[in-house]
């Protein structure tokens, strides 16, 4: 699997670490991204019209 390095706000990293119950940003960010993707797929199953914000759009779309 390819790895990507990103910079995020330290406060966001700490908040995700607390919510995920982990001790490193690396261990917290991947599950948060996976959760976001899963939520997006669930939203797509209902259609954008059912989402209060019309669904997420990727900038490459």
């Amino acid at each position: 699997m390819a790895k990507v390095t990103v910079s995020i706000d330290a406060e966001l990293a700490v908040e995700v670490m607390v919510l995920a119950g982990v001790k490193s940003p690396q261990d917290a960010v991947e599950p948060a991204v996976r959760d976001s993707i899963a939520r997006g797929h669930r939203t797509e199953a209902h259609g954008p019209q059912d989402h209060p914000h019309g669904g997420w759009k990727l900038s490459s779309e």
Side-chain angles (χ1 to χ4, degrees):
M1 172 187 326
K3 298 285 182 176
V4 175
T5 301
V6 297
S7 296
I8 63 170
D9 182 85
E11 290 180 17
L12 291 176
V14 170
E15 189 166 349
V16 171
M17 289 166 54
V18 169
L19 290 171
V22 298
K23 295 184 180 191
S24 78
Q26 177 67 38
D27 292 339
V29 171
E30 187 169 333
V33 171
R34 288 183 185 279
D35 180 62
S36 180
I37 291 168
R39 289 172 188 252
H41 287 295
R42 288 193 299 269
T43 300
E44 287 174 0
H46 294 284
Q49 69 280 2
D50 296 332
H51 191 276
H53 302 293
W56 290 97
K57 300 283 185 200
L58 297 177
S59 61
S60 61
E61 292 183 335

